[in-house]
């Protein structure tokens, strides 16, 4: 479903090249859930945003569902993105709109007619268990409810792929687990392919089947989460974190 071939991203910052992501390969089969692990600044979110071309790659190819996104015009890219939903850490809801109108907004951008988009928005809210909150504004919702609205917004276009950028890190553990259970249900019932950025090994262990570990823009480990045997120092550190830190825990060098 997702195939990245030697994809890289370099930013120019005050005349200096910053290599956010070095040439990277990634293949995510249809219906699988993959995790992107790493410290802040490791390149996780950059890699995620390259999948739907929110960031333009400096090199390499990006294919989603067999379509090469790098070669698409802006109009064709907008069409292709309807198959790629995305949810963020900070929800990004419009405060002046109700939950229903926030969900319908993605369909409005896609050019769906008013009657159809309101029905589809209601269906999406029902799918995340918020059919009774369609007239509530974001200020009237809890953090977990806001994230469910954001997920419904991503689901409204019936995407085949869902990208999650630290989708639970702003939530308390109880609420975070309820969101992860919802994502697992969506994967199971709809066969959605998912890629999740996280620095929490508990999240990756619960939801992801495979994970890559990024450090300073490079992939340093590829881990089967069902039979985890990390090879890198950073990969081992993440799994040590799951067991609980001790005075003997080795702390890898954090990215600058």
């Amino acid at each position: 479903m997702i195939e990245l071939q030697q994809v890289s991203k370099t930013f120019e910052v005050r005349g200096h090249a910053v290599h956010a992501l070095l040439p990277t390969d990634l293949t995510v089969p249809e219906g699988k859930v993959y995790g992107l692990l790493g410290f802040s600044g490791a390149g996780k979110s950059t890699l995620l945003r390259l999948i739907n071309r929110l960031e333009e790659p400096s090199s390499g190819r990006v294919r989603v569902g067999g379509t090469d996104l790098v070669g698409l015009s802006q109009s064709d890219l907008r069409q292709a993105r309807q198959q790629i939903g995305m949810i963020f850490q900070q929800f990004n809801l419009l405060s002046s709109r109700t939950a229903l109108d926030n969900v319908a907004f993605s369909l409005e951008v896609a050019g769906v007619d008013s009657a159809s988009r309101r029905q589809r928005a209601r269906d999406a809210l029902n799918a995340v268990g918020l059919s009774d909150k369609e007239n509530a504004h974001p200020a009237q919702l809890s953090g977990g409810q806001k994230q469910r609205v954001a997920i419904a917004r991503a689901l409204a276009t019936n995407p085949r792929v869902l990208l999650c950028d630290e989708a639970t890190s702003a939530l308390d553990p109880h609420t975070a687990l309820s969101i992860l259970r919802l994502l697992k249900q969506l994967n199971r019932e709809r066969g959605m392919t998912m890629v999740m950025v996280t620095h929490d090994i508990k999240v990756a262990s619960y939801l992801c089947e495979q994970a890559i570990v990024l450090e300073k823009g490079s992939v340093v480990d590829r881990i089967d989460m069902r039979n985890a045997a990390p090879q890198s120092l950073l990969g081992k550190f993440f799994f040590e974190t799951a067991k609980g830190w001790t005075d003997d825990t080795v702390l890898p060098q954090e990215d600058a």
Side-chain angles (χ1 to χ4, degrees):
M1 179 57 71
I2 300 170
E3 185 179 12
L4 275 58
Q5 296 178 327
Q6 291 295 287
V7 171
S8 69
K9 181 63 180 180
T10 300
F11 296 97
E12 290 292 330
V13 180
R14 292 191 292 273
H16 296 283
V18 177
H19 302 292
L21 186 71
L22 298 174
T24 297
D25 295 327
L26 177 66
T27 300
V28 183
E30 184 173 5
K32 299 300 183 182
V33 183
Y34 267 51
L36 307 180
L37 288 164
F39 288 149
S40 297
K44 307 183 303 296
S45 292
T46 297
L47 176 55
L48 192 77
R49 291 165 65 88
L50 286 165
I51 294 174
N52 61 0
R53 254 186 72 188
L54 284 179
E55 294 287 356
E56 290 290 339
S58 299
S59 66
R61 314 306 301 175
V62 178
R63 293 184 177 86
V64 178
T67 299
D68 185 351
L69 301 189
V70 177
L72 294 182
S73 66
Q74 284 300 314
S75 60
D76 288 341
L77 178 60
R78 284 192 294 271
Q79 184 70 26
R81 279 181 178 151
Q82 293 182 33
Q83 296 299 307
I84 309 172
M86 191 165 185
I87 55 177
F88 304 86
Q89 177 181 355
Q90 297 300 332
F91 320 134
N92 294 336
L93 300 180
L94 299 170
S95 61
S96 62
R97 293 190 176 216
T98 65
L100 183 68
D101 288 337
N102 264 282
V103 175
F105 182 67
S106 61
L107 297 169
E108 182 180 338
V109 171
V112 177
D113 66 88
S114 178
S116 295
R117 66 177 179 250
R118 290 185 71 80
Q119 184 56 54
R120 286 170 61 175
R122 285 193 174 96
D123 291 343
L125 281 175
N126 183 60
V128 300
L130 285 183
S131 56
D132 60 334
K133 298 293 184 180
E134 69 171 57
N135 293 317
H137 286 78
Q140 300 170 300
L141 301 174
S142 68
Q145 289 170 334
K146 291 176 185 176
Q147 191 61 293
R148 285 175 181 264
V149 172
I151 294 171
R153 180 181 57 195
L155 295 179
T157 59
N158 297 319
R160 301 171 68 191
V161 172
L162 186 62
L163 307 179
C164 309
D165 195 356
E166 300 281 11
T168 59
S169 63
L171 305 173
D172 65 79
H174 177 276
T175 305
L177 181 55
S178 72
I179 295 297
L180 292 174
R181 285 177 173 167
L182 173 60
L183 292 174
K184 180 176 279 192
Q185 177 185 346
L186 292 171
N187 169 255
R188 182 174 61 248
E189 294 180 354
R190 301 191 180 201
M192 294 180 66
T193 305
M194 298 183 184
V195 181
M196 171 166 281
V197 165
T198 183
H199 59 260
D200 190 337
I201 191 63
K202 297 188 299 298
V203 170
S205 296
Y206 178 78
L207 190 61
C208 302
E209 298 165 76
Q210 302 283 333
I212 63 173
V213 180
L214 289 155
E215 186 173 18
K216 297 180 180 179
S218 293
V219 175
V220 296
D221 222 336
R222 296 178 186 268
I223 302 172
D224 182 345
M225 299 302 294
R226 296 160 297 186
N227 186 26
Q231 300 300 306
S232 68
L233 182 61
L234 184 53
K236 292 175 182 178
F237 173 75
F238 276 115
F239 280 88
E240 184 76 12
T241 297
K243 294 186 293 183
W245 295 326
T246 71
D247 290 341
D248 295 323
T249 297
V250 177
L251 182 64
Q253 180 64 42
E254 192 166 354
D255 291 350

